[in-house]
Amino acid sequence: MMAPWLAPIVWNGTYNIKILNAQFRQRDVRIGLTVFAIKKYTVFVPTFIETAEKYFMVGHKVNYYVFTDRVIDIPIMELAEGRRLIVRRVPTYQRWQEVSMRRMEMLRDHSSRQFMDEVDYLVCVDVDMRFSDEVGVEILSELFGTLHPGMYGVSREGYTYERNPQSEAYIPLDEGDFYYAGGYFGGNMEEVYKLTNFCHNAMMKDKAKNIEAIWHDESYLNKYFLYHKPTKILSPEYLWDNRFGIPKFLKRRRFVAVPKNHNEIRN
Ligand code: 5GW
Ligand code: MN
């Protein structure tokens, strides 16, 4: 329930949502939820938004930011009061690795401008997902990361960090706290700016050396979190994939991967 640097690890039953809701309402906190829907991934947007309306930060001010290369594919959807959908056109990259990695650059660029004015916290996630239980202000903190569902219970040496010492994402075998998921992180605007700026710059340095880290943006994110410890850590309740089964320790599955036909959706 607690990292060695005293950051809470958020599980069901570790917090009182009534108290937290009152605190965050008092501050009239605004939350941005960002996703990228490039090429065929626009198909995931309606379910993502519909389920977010039901479960994500209900009762708080929420802006959805959808970054896409197919603006016309994003339907106009009815949202609850205090919630807005903002669609931004972004470039398409040919390689899927690049599609995933360039998210850092685009988040960085928007963090220094639009997001700063419009929200207090940003939550940055994958789009091929559905909310299936409450995700509220208990996740918010200056800087937060999420435990990767596939790496839960794996030992430090078994984490799939980048192991090439030439890479900016390199983590030696005897270092590393947790293995964090690339598809779920966030924090306040200043911290998200620093994180995305670091990851993008590190990727560009590697690119100049013809290096790409093993798990792309996720590898650079893990490097960042090693030396900039998150102030909160989300348990796998917040990011699950049913391909890993439904273990006993998992009391809630709040945000679950939508099964996808990899060949169909990615080509
Ligand atoms: C990703 C992998 C292979 C081919 C295409 C993509 C892809 C990812 C894409 O064509 N369009 C796109 O918008 N993405 C974004 O990157 C989505 O926001 C997606 O959720 C995120 C990460 O890619 P995923 O979800 O396919 O990766 P996994 O590891 O969750 O399966
Ligand atoms: Mn995904």
Side-chain angles (χ1 to χ4, degrees):
M1 279 173 48
M2 197 92 96
W5 56 94
L6 305 181
I9 305 176
V10 186
W11 292 91
N12 182 49
T14 60
Y15 58 90
N16 181 323
I17 194 62
K18 274 181 108 173
I19 299 173
L20 294 177
N21 272 335
Q23 285 183 329
F24 281 82
R25 279 302 313 146
Q26 206 161 37
R27 288 165 51 198
D28 203 22
V29 158
R30 302 162 304 170
I31 303 127
L33 180 61
T34 71
V35 285
F36 288 78
I38 310 293
K39 296 184 248 191
K40 290 187 180 172
Y41 276 57
T42 52
V43 300
F44 294 111
V45 171
T47 300
F48 179 89
I49 304 278
E50 276 161 26
T51 59
E53 283 291 290
K54 214 166 151 198
Y55 292 116
F56 183 79
M57 304 284 172
V58 173
H60 297 274
K61 286 193 180 146
V62 173
N63 282 1
Y64 300 105
Y65 296 97
V66 175
F67 296 91
T68 184
D69 58 339
R70 298 183 179 179
V71 172
I72 56 162
D73 283 8
I74 309 301
I76 292 165
M77 302 179 65
E78 209 175 307
L79 305 176
E81 204 190 317
R83 303 170 79 98
R84 292 203 300 139
L85 173 61
I86 296 123
V87 181
R88 282 271 167 278
R89 183 187 304 281
V90 291
T92 320
Y93 287 93
Q94 278 318 305
R95 295 174 57 244
W96 68 263
Q97 294 89 341
E98 192 101 351
V99 168
S100 185
M101 291 167 71
R102 288 284 173 173
R103 291 184 291 179
M104 291 295 185
E105 179 183 31
M106 298 186 232
L107 289 171
R108 191 266 316 262
D109 291 346
H110 282 79
S111 295
S112 58
R113 300 183 244 123
Q114 179 169 33
F115 297 151
M116 287 275 185
D117 300 333
E118 297 182 353
V119 293
D120 304 302
Y121 293 94
L122 215 57
V123 180
C124 309
V125 297
D126 268 15
V127 74
D128 56 339
M129 303 291 297
R130 67 184 307 137
F131 291 89
S132 52
D133 202 344
E134 292 157 347
V135 175
V137 295
E138 76 278 3
I139 72 170
L140 300 178
S141 189
E142 289 91 90
L143 179 65
F144 64 87
T146 305
L147 302 182
H148 193 296
M151 287 283 155
Y152 189 75
V154 172
S155 66
R156 173 185 276 168
E157 304 75 37
Y159 289 158
T160 52
Y161 295 143
E162 175 55 56
R163 301 301 190 183
N164 172 5
Q166 304 307 312
S167 171
E168 296 290 324
Y170 172 63
I171 298 178
L173 279 171
D174 60 348
E175 288 187 51
D177 309 296
F178 299 103
Y179 191 86
Y180 302 97
Y184 202 140
F185 62 88
N188 66 27
M189 287 318 313
E190 190 180 335
E191 293 301 327
V192 171
Y193 176 82
K194 288 194 280 188
L195 179 156
T196 52
N197 189 45
F198 168 88
C199 290
H200 178 63
N201 289 341
M203 286 188 265
M204 289 301 105
K205 280 185 207 166
D206 273 2
K207 196 179 165 76
K209 292 187 279 183
N210 251 313
I211 295 172
E212 193 170 83
I214 177 166
W215 288 108
H216 320 108
D217 39 305
E218 184 170 83
S219 304
Y220 299 92
L221 178 74
N222 272 279
K223 179 66 177 268
Y224 186 78
F225 278 150
L226 175 55
Y227 299 116
H228 307 82
K229 307 282 195 220
T231 52
K232 230 179 226 184
I233 296 162
L234 309 186
S235 72
E237 291 174 10
Y238 290 89
L239 180 55
W240 194 252
D241 188 323
N242 290 333
R243 290 181 301 171
F244 300 121
I246 306 171
K248 269 265 164 22
F249 65 80
L250 206 64
K251 298 289 179 254
R252 303 174 82 169
R253 283 173 293 151
R254 304 170 191 260
F255 189 52
V256 180
V258 174
K260 55 184 184 275
N261 179 330
H262 287 250
N263 289 330
E264 166 62 24
I265 195 78
R266 289 179 167 179
N267 291 320

